Amino acid sequence: MKKQDITVSSPLLPDLKDFVPYLEDIWKSKWLTNNGEYHERLEKALCEYLGVEHLNLFSNGTLALIVALQALKISGEVITTPYSFVATTHSLWWNNIKPVFVDIEPETFNIDPDRIEAAITPATTAIMPVHVYGNPCRVDKIQTIADTYGLRVIYDAAHAFGVCRDGVSVLNYGDLSILSFHATKVYSTIEGGAIICHDRKMKHRIDFLKNFGFAGETTVVAPGINAKLNEVQAAFGLLSLKVVDEAIARRKEMAAAYREGLENVHGIHFLPEVEGLQQNYGYFPILVDDAKYGMRRDELYELMKSHQIMGRRYFYPLISDFPTYRGLPSATRENLPVATRVASQVICLPMHHNLTEEDVKEIVQIIKNKS
Ligand SMILES: *Cc1c(COP(=O)(O)O)cnc(C)c1O
């Protein structure tokens, strides 16, 4: 029998038996989208699960980012990180905002707050950091800078589903946070996303913005967009919520197995476990220091592929290296030395709830043996 690929991620699927009655219910009600019952139930359930006050569901995380910027009327320049998925910066581009890239910290791969002030100009209106791999940014330092300079903070928290520090969700920081519920994420609604905000008025404003700006049958209060989540996906999301804890527990075991297996491999580095942090184990990134390891990152990546192990070079290339952005003054490698190095060394190893101990052992052996 042909060996199956070991994929980098695997979608979390609710029990199909549980899904059928939900579908029958939706069919009976004939209410398929526009703030249906399942949509309302999922918003409530997610607020409770995540420990946040207000949450707006979206059809995907990218539209959540774009609308978050609209909701706060952000313009001019926004300080952000080049070390993320392209959607972070694309959301600025779609709002006609100029991205200003700031380098990342070597310890967390998140935007380095100590470099933010130097990037502020009279045109700066906001900071858009990313909690990369679900590791929280230095939120207090970022907020202090924002308060001092009168800036908004919008977190791309696409990786930070369920992440808590000392029992408090990281989604409670900043003016707004966005989540992605894409099928490759820890928790999914197939496609989907959310904006987390801190007051009811903002929640209502976002409700309008994601539905063409409609505030009533004949009242359009803003040039909104269509970014609604439908009932079938909301029902899928409600059921996925029942199995997500189990999936995260499984991921945690696999992360521990990787740590143990790779601990003493010369030239292979990974992020340390952080005290008091409740993680979701969405990713398992390693850095390949080729001088010490004796093999280049891309060689290891290809070697794994030849064994049908599908790692991913998240995040390579940097967003600042794509044609749309590489001409920006802040996009130079000299401005982004840490991000440039990390992007050249990183591989995200397969990490999901369907991974087995044997899979991890095999991957560790390949990395150890370099063959
Ligand atoms: C997945 C992701 C997004 C985009 O979310 P979609 O739901 O796929 O639109 C944005 N930012 C980051 C960091 C992501 O990983």
Side-chain angles (χ1 to χ4, degrees), residues 97 101 185 189 196 257 269 329:
I97 293 164
F101 296 112
K185 307 296 206 268
T189 56
I196 288 84
H269 305 287

Side-chain angles (χ1 to χ4, degrees), residues 6-10 282-283 310-312 314 348-352:
I6 301 179
T7 50
V8 72
S9 68
S10 174
Y283 302 86
M310 304 299 163
R312 286 297 288 271
Y314 288 145
C348 281
L349 300 181
M351 172 49 90
H352 52 78

Side-chain angles (χ1 to χ4, degrees), residues 32-63:
L32 301 183
T33 187
N34 288 65
N35 290 317
E37 185 194 324
Y38 286 95
H39 179 277
E40 300 306 283
R41 277 173 65 186
L42 183 58
E43 283 194 349
K44 273 206 196 76
L46 282 170
C47 279
E48 232 162 80
Y49 179 90
L50 296 168
V52 300
E53 199 73 26
H54 301 283
L55 179 146
N56 276 93
L57 287 170
F58 274 78
S59 49
N60 61 65
T62 304
L63 279 167

Side-chain angles (χ1 to χ4, degrees), residues 59-65 83-89 130-133 156-159 178-185 190-194 283 314-315:
S59 49
N60 61 65
T62 304
L63 279 167
L65 278 168
Y83 193 75
S84 181
F85 182 60
V86 283
T88 311
T89 312
V130 181
H131 301 299
V132 178
Y133 310 131
D156 181 338
H159 298 178
I178 79 95
L179 287 169
S180 165
F181 303 147
H182 184 256
T184 51
K185 307 296 206 268
I190 307 174
E191 293 269 3
Y283 302 86
Y314 288 145
F315 291 103

